[in-house]
Amino acid sequence: MLKDKVALVTGASRGIGAEVAKTLAGHGAFVYVNYNGSKSRADEVVDEIVKAGGAAEAIQCDVADFDSCKEMIDKIIADKGRLDILVNNAGITRDDLLMKMSEEAFDAVISTNLKGCFNTIRHASRYLLKQRSGKIINMSSVSGVMGNAGQANYSAAKAGVVGLTKSVAKELSSRGINCNAIAPGFIETEMTAAMTDKAKEATIAMIPLGRTGKVSDIAGAVLFLASDMSDYITGQVLSVDGGMCI
Ligand code: NAP
């Protein structure tokens, strides 16, 4: 399905990003597995892809850093001559109640989760425009759609991702570039592992499908938006949340 396509997945050393990388590679794409600090885990993801018969390479970059993102995109173009799929998945949480949230916690989450998407899109877009093709998929969140107590920074960043997605779609769609967002609900990863059982039960009670999400639930949605099956879809936010946002 993605034969000869080149993909970059940010934050792919674990969790949702790792599963997205494996899924895209499993469908034929060459996948750049981006990480910031977790080199050995990114290498493990690459090993797994290669053992399964796919092709991938780990690539370090802090997505919050504008110039580093330029270096990462330039290296991909220098090596492969193209970039077809950009999945902006890297994300962090620094949860706190608004009254206690530090300026640093607010800025850190905005820098990684929102500006990180801008940085990669900004640098990739000049190549995508020349190619006259490309699929950009940004990871938003149910928190960006509904808000969430204790996540003012995270919800603001994820709502910002929705606005960014729609603006990019309006600017680039006439040149054959699709830009969409996915808004996951509660997905079982290390990011959500710290939640207490009580908080998890309360969250599951809000999910019509009655269960938490798996990383494969999100990877399937990314695969759809990365493939030509979604060529007529742009500027949309696809909720993958078991119905939480209904
Ligand atoms: P995770 O398990 O904590 O993994 C986060 C990934 O992002 C790691 O690979 C991490 O790599 C990378 N990362 C963090 N900061 C980075 C930076 N500055 N530059 C490059 N990479 C960076 O998170 P997850 O649960 O898989 O979440 C993935 C995405 O889905 C995030 O955007 C998250 O907000 C979103 N999401 C998750 C859920 C959920 O329930 N899990 C729900 C809604 C949305 P390093 O360790 O190398 O930094």
Side-chain angles (χ1 to χ4, degrees), residues 150-181:
Q151 288 198 313
N153 49 0
Y154 185 83
S155 318
K158 294 299 189 181
V161 168
V162 171
L164 176 70
T165 299
K166 292 182 181 185
S167 296
V168 170
K170 285 190 172 178
E171 281 193 40
L172 305 186
S173 292
S174 67
R175 309 285 280 275
I177 299 159
N178 304 56
C179 182
N180 291 290

mmCIF file of all heavy atoms in Angstrom, residues 150-181:
data_model
loop_
_atom_site.group_PDB
_atom_site.id
_atom_site.type_symbol
_atom_site.label_atom_id
_atom_site.label_comp_id
_atom_site.label_asym_id
_atom_site.label_seq_id
_atom_site.Cartn_x
_atom_site.Cartn_y
_atom_site.Cartn_z
ATOM 1 N N GLY A 150 -6.603 20.084 34.754
ATOM 2 C CA GLY A 150 -5.235 19.654 35.042
ATOM 3 C C GLY A 150 -4.350 19.610 33.809
ATOM 4 O O GLY A 150 -3.181 19.262 33.894
ATOM 5 N N GLN A 151 -4.924 19.974 32.666
ATOM 6 C CA GLN A 151 -4.143 19.911 31.416
ATOM 7 C C GLN A 151 -4.302 21.197 30.588
ATOM 8 O O GLN A 151 -4.450 21.127 29.370
ATOM 9 C CB GLN A 151 -4.578 18.711 30.571
ATOM 10 C CG GLN A 151 -4.134 17.363 31.140
ATOM 11 C CD GLN A 151 -4.191 16.254 30.116
ATOM 12 O OE1 GLN A 151 -5.179 16.109 29.402
ATOM 13 N NE2 GLN A 151 -3.132 15.445 30.037
ATOM 14 N N ALA A 152 -4.283 22.357 31.253
ATOM 15 C CA ALA A 152 -4.462 23.621 30.506
ATOM 16 C C ALA A 152 -3.404 23.756 29.414
ATOM 17 O O ALA A 152 -3.717 24.160 28.282
ATOM 18 C CB ALA A 152 -4.382 24.805 31.462
ATOM 19 N N ASN A 153 -2.164 23.403 29.739
ATOM 20 C CA ASN A 153 -1.073 23.493 28.749
ATOM 21 C C ASN A 153 -1.281 22.494 27.606
ATOM 22 O O ASN A 153 -1.221 22.846 26.425
ATOM 23 C CB ASN A 153 0.291 23.278 29.429
ATOM 24 C CG ASN A 153 0.354 22.039 30.330
ATOM 25 O OD1 ASN A 153 -0.628 21.299 30.471
ATOM 26 N ND2 ASN A 153 1.506 21.822 30.939
ATOM 27 N N TYR A 154 -1.577 21.262 27.982
ATOM 28 C CA TYR A 154 -1.719 20.175 26.989
ATOM 29 C C TYR A 154 -2.948 20.417 26.099
ATOM 30 O O TYR A 154 -2.872 20.277 24.876
ATOM 31 C CB TYR A 154 -1.833 18.858 27.757
ATOM 32 C CG TYR A 154 -1.865 17.607 26.919
ATOM 33 C CD1 TYR A 154 -0.687 17.027 26.446
ATOM 34 C CD2 TYR A 154 -3.073 16.975 26.625
ATOM 35 C CE1 TYR A 154 -0.720 15.849 25.697
ATOM 36 C CE2 TYR A 154 -3.117 15.806 25.882
ATOM 37 C CZ TYR A 154 -1.938 15.251 25.419
ATOM 38 O OH TYR A 154 -1.974 14.080 24.683
ATOM 39 N N SER A 155 -4.081 20.785 26.703
ATOM 40 C CA SER A 155 -5.301 21.024 25.913
ATOM 41 C C SER A 155 -5.104 22.199 24.964
ATOM 42 O O SER A 155 -5.570 22.157 23.819
ATOM 43 C CB SER A 155 -6.501 21.364 26.793
ATOM 44 O OG SER A 155 -6.560 20.585 27.904
ATOM 45 N N ALA A 156 -4.431 23.253 25.459
ATOM 46 C CA ALA A 156 -4.193 24.428 24.601
ATOM 47 C C ALA A 156 -3.321 24.023 23.411
ATOM 48 O O ALA A 156 -3.591 24.411 22.261
ATOM 49 C CB ALA A 156 -3.514 25.535 25.402
ATOM 50 N N ALA A 157 -2.281 23.231 23.674
ATOM 51 C CA ALA A 157 -1.397 22.795 22.578
ATOM 52 C C ALA A 157 -2.165 21.928 21.590
ATOM 53 O O ALA A 157 -2.054 22.100 20.365
ATOM 54 C CB ALA A 157 -0.212 22.007 23.148
ATOM 55 N N LYS A 158 -2.976 21.005 22.101
ATOM 56 C CA LYS A 158 -3.680 20.066 21.211
ATOM 57 C C LYS A 158 -4.811 20.757 20.448
ATOM 58 O O LYS A 158 -5.130 20.354 19.319
ATOM 59 C CB LYS A 158 -4.198 18.871 22.010
ATOM 60 C CG LYS A 158 -3.081 17.994 22.595
ATOM 61 C CD LYS A 158 -2.191 17.395 21.517
ATOM 62 C CE LYS A 158 -1.215 16.367 22.040
ATOM 63 N NZ LYS A 158 -0.348 15.812 20.996
ATOM 64 N N ALA A 159 -5.437 21.771 21.045
ATOM 65 C CA ALA A 159 -6.421 22.573 20.302
ATOM 66 C C ALA A 159 -5.696 23.387 19.237
ATOM 67 O O ALA A 159 -6.196 23.566 18.120
ATOM 68 C CB ALA A 159 -7.184 23.488 21.255
ATOM 69 N N GLY A 160 -4.500 23.866 19.586
ATOM 70 C CA GLY A 160 -3.679 24.593 18.612
ATOM 71 C C GLY A 160 -3.329 23.718 17.419
ATOM 72 O O GLY A 160 -3.300 24.192 16.276
ATOM 73 N N VAL A 161 -3.090 22.447 17.677
ATOM 74 C CA VAL A 161 -2.778 21.506 16.596
ATOM 75 C C VAL A 161 -3.959 21.419 15.617
ATOM 76 O O VAL A 161 -3.762 21.318 14.399
ATOM 77 C CB VAL A 161 -2.426 20.103 17.166
ATOM 78 C CG1 VAL A 161 -2.387 19.053 16.078
ATOM 79 C CG2 VAL A 161 -1.087 20.154 17.897
ATOM 80 N N VAL A 162 -5.174 21.505 16.137
ATOM 81 C CA VAL A 162 -6.356 21.461 15.266
ATOM 82 C C VAL A 162 -6.378 22.694 14.356
ATOM 83 O O VAL A 162 -6.564 22.583 13.138
ATOM 84 C CB VAL A 162 -7.665 21.370 16.107
ATOM 85 C CG1 VAL A 162 -8.886 21.544 15.222
ATOM 86 C CG2 VAL A 162 -7.716 20.048 16.862
ATOM 87 N N GLY A 163 -6.141 23.874 14.927
ATOM 88 C CA GLY A 163 -6.116 25.104 14.127
ATOM 89 C C GLY A 163 -4.999 25.073 13.093
ATOM 90 O O GLY A 163 -5.195 25.449 11.931
ATOM 91 N N LEU A 164 -3.833 24.604 13.526
ATOM 92 C CA LEU A 164 -2.689 24.488 12.615
ATOM 93 C C LEU A 164 -3.030 23.554 11.455
ATOM 94 O O LEU A 164 -2.770 23.864 10.283
ATOM 95 C CB LEU A 164 -1.474 23.961 13.387
ATOM 96 C CG LEU A 164 -0.198 23.684 12.601
ATOM 97 C CD1 LEU A 164 0.449 24.985 12.127
ATOM 98 C CD2 LEU A 164 0.816 22.902 13.445
ATOM 99 N N THR A 165 -3.630 22.427 11.778
ATOM 100 C CA THR A 165 -3.993 21.423 10.766
ATOM 101 C C THR A 165 -4.919 22.033 9.713
ATOM 102 O O THR A 165 -4.719 21.855 8.500
ATOM 103 C CB THR A 165 -4.699 20.223 11.451
ATOM 104 O OG1 THR A 165 -3.779 19.640 12.380
ATOM 105 C CG2 THR A 165 -5.143 19.180 10.439
ATOM 106 N N LYS A 166 -5.932 22.755 10.169
ATOM 107 C CA LYS A 166 -6.912 23.321 9.234
ATOM 108 C C LYS A 166 -6.281 24.408 8.363
ATOM 109 O O LYS A 166 -6.562 24.505 7.165
ATOM 110 C CB LYS A 166 -8.123 23.858 10.009
ATOM 111 C CG LYS A 166 -8.921 22.724 10.659
ATOM 112 C CD LYS A 166 -10.156 23.220 11.382
ATOM 113 C CE LYS A 166 -10.862 22.015 12.012
ATOM 114 N NZ LYS A 166 -12.136 22.350 12.633
ATOM 115 N N SER A 167 -5.419 25.234 8.964
ATOM 116 C CA SER A 167 -4.767 26.298 8.183
ATOM 117 C C SER A 167 -3.815 25.705 7.154
ATOM 118 O O SER A 167 -3.778 26.145 6.004
ATOM 119 C CB SER A 167 -3.990 27.239 9.111
ATOM 120 O OG SER A 167 -4.889 27.882 9.978
ATOM 121 N N VAL A 168 -3.030 24.713 7.576
ATOM 122 C CA VAL A 168 -2.092 24.062 6.650
ATOM 123 C C VAL A 168 -2.871 23.411 5.506
ATOM 124 O O VAL A 168 -2.483 23.508 4.333
ATOM 125 C CB VAL A 168 -1.209 23.030 7.392
ATOM 126 C CG1 VAL A 168 -0.417 22.171 6.411
ATOM 127 C CG2 VAL A 168 -0.264 23.739 8.354
ATOM 128 N N ALA A 169 -3.990 22.766 5.842
ATOM 129 C CA ALA A 169 -4.810 22.129 4.793
ATOM 130 C C ALA A 169 -5.271 23.181 3.785
ATOM 131 O O ALA A 169 -5.214 22.962 2.571
ATOM 132 C CB ALA A 169 -5.996 21.414 5.427
ATOM 133 N N LYS A 170 -5.718 24.329 4.284
ATOM 134 C CA LYS A 170 -6.195 25.375 3.367
ATOM 135 C C LYS A 170 -5.060 25.927 2.503
ATOM 136 O O LYS A 170 -5.259 26.271 1.353
ATOM 137 C CB LYS A 170 -6.854 26.511 4.155
ATOM 138 C CG LYS A 170 -8.231 26.124 4.655
ATOM 139 C CD LYS A 170 -9.012 27.291 5.218
ATOM 140 C CE LYS A 170 -10.445 26.832 5.517
ATOM 141 N NZ LYS A 170 -11.267 27.894 6.111
ATOM 142 N N GLU A 171 -3.854 26.015 3.068
ATOM 143 C CA GLU A 171 -2.727 26.567 2.301
ATOM 144 C C GLU A 171 -2.151 25.584 1.289
ATOM 145 O O GLU A 171 -1.717 25.975 0.214
ATOM 146 C CB GLU A 171 -1.598 26.994 3.247
ATOM 147 C CG GLU A 171 -1.851 28.331 3.907
ATOM 148 C CD GLU A 171 -0.610 28.884 4.595
ATOM 149 O OE1 GLU A 171 0.502 28.765 4.044
ATOM 150 O OE2 GLU A 171 -0.766 29.424 5.701
ATOM 151 N N LEU A 172 -2.108 24.304 1.650
ATOM 152 C CA LEU A 172 -1.337 23.353 0.834
ATOM 153 C C LEU A 172 -2.161 22.386 -0.012
ATOM 154 O O LEU A 172 -1.606 21.704 -0.869
ATOM 155 C CB LEU A 172 -0.383 22.538 1.728
ATOM 156 C CG LEU A 172 0.594 23.330 2.614
ATOM 157 C CD1 LEU A 172 1.562 22.374 3.305
ATOM 158 C CD2 LEU A 172 1.368 24.367 1.818
ATOM 159 N N SER A 173 -3.464 22.329 0.230
ATOM 160 C CA SER A 173 -4.253 21.294 -0.464
ATOM 161 C C SER A 173 -4.276 21.465 -1.977
ATOM 162 O O SER A 173 -4.316 20.481 -2.720
ATOM 163 C CB SER A 173 -5.678 21.252 0.089
ATOM 164 O OG SER A 173 -5.643 20.775 1.416
ATOM 165 N N SER A 174 -4.210 22.719 -2.440
ATOM 166 C CA SER A 174 -4.256 22.943 -3.889
ATOM 167 C C SER A 174 -3.009 22.387 -4.585
ATOM 168 O O SER A 174 -2.966 22.258 -5.797
ATOM 169 C CB SER A 174 -4.387 24.437 -4.194
ATOM 170 O OG SER A 174 -3.206 25.080 -3.787
ATOM 171 N N ARG A 175 -1.978 22.058 -3.791
ATOM 172 C CA ARG A 175 -0.752 21.483 -4.359
ATOM 173 C C ARG A 175 -0.648 19.990 -4.069
ATOM 174 O O ARG A 175 0.445 19.427 -4.047
ATOM 175 C CB ARG A 175 0.484 22.207 -3.796
ATOM 176 C CG ARG A 175 0.398 23.718 -3.916
ATOM 177 C CD ARG A 175 0.624 24.223 -5.338
ATOM 178 N NE ARG A 175 2.043 24.269 -5.655
ATOM 179 C CZ ARG A 175 2.845 25.285 -5.365
ATOM 180 N NH1 ARG A 175 2.372 26.347 -4.752
ATOM 181 N NH2 ARG A 175 4.115 25.255 -5.706
ATOM 182 N N GLY A 176 -1.781 19.361 -3.805
ATOM 183 C CA GLY A 176 -1.792 17.898 -3.637
ATOM 184 C C GLY A 176 -1.334 17.405 -2.282
ATOM 185 O O GLY A 176 -0.976 16.239 -2.133
ATOM 186 N N ILE A 177 -1.335 18.306 -1.298
ATOM 187 C CA ILE A 177 -0.875 17.904 0.041
ATOM 188 C C ILE A 177 -2.074 17.872 0.996
ATOM 189 O O ILE A 177 -2.795 18.868 1.114
ATOM 190 C CB ILE A 177 0.197 18.892 0.559
ATOM 191 C CG1 ILE A 177 1.400 18.885 -0.395
ATOM 192 C CG2 ILE A 177 0.610 18.548 1.989
ATOM 193 C CD1 ILE A 177 2.258 20.114 -0.315
ATOM 194 N N ASN A 178 -2.270 16.721 1.639
ATOM 195 C CA ASN A 178 -3.367 16.589 2.604
ATOM 196 C C ASN A 178 -2.823 16.782 4.015
ATOM 197 O O ASN A 178 -1.735 16.289 4.324
ATOM 198 C CB ASN A 178 -3.991 15.191 2.547
ATOM 199 C CG ASN A 178 -4.483 14.835 1.165
ATOM 200 O OD1 ASN A 178 -3.726 14.875 0.211
ATOM 201 N ND2 ASN A 178 -5.747 14.474 1.054
ATOM 202 N N CYS A 179 -3.577 17.480 4.835
ATOM 203 C CA CYS A 179 -3.174 17.636 6.238
ATOM 204 C C CYS A 179 -4.381 17.362 7.130
ATOM 205 O O CYS A 179 -5.398 18.050 7.032
ATOM 206 C CB CYS A 179 -2.630 19.047 6.475
ATOM 207 S SG CYS A 179 -2.049 19.297 8.168
ATOM 208 N N ASN A 180 -4.266 16.347 7.962
ATOM 209 C CA ASN A 180 -5.356 15.972 8.870
ATOM 210 C C ASN A 180 -4.804 15.743 10.271
ATOM 211 O O ASN A 180 -3.596 15.591 10.456
ATOM 212 C CB ASN A 180 -6.028 14.682 8.368
ATOM 213 C CG ASN A 180 -6.797 14.903 7.077
ATOM 214 O OD1 ASN A 180 -7.832 15.572 7.066
ATOM 215 N ND2 ASN A 180 -6.275 14.368 5.977
ATOM 216 N N ALA A 181 -5.716 15.723 11.228
ATOM 217 C CA ALA A 181 -5.321 15.442 12.615
ATOM 218 C C ALA A 181 -6.089 14.234 13.127
ATOM 219 O O ALA A 181 -7.181 13.926 12.647
ATOM 220 C CB ALA A 181 -5.606 16.651 13.498
#
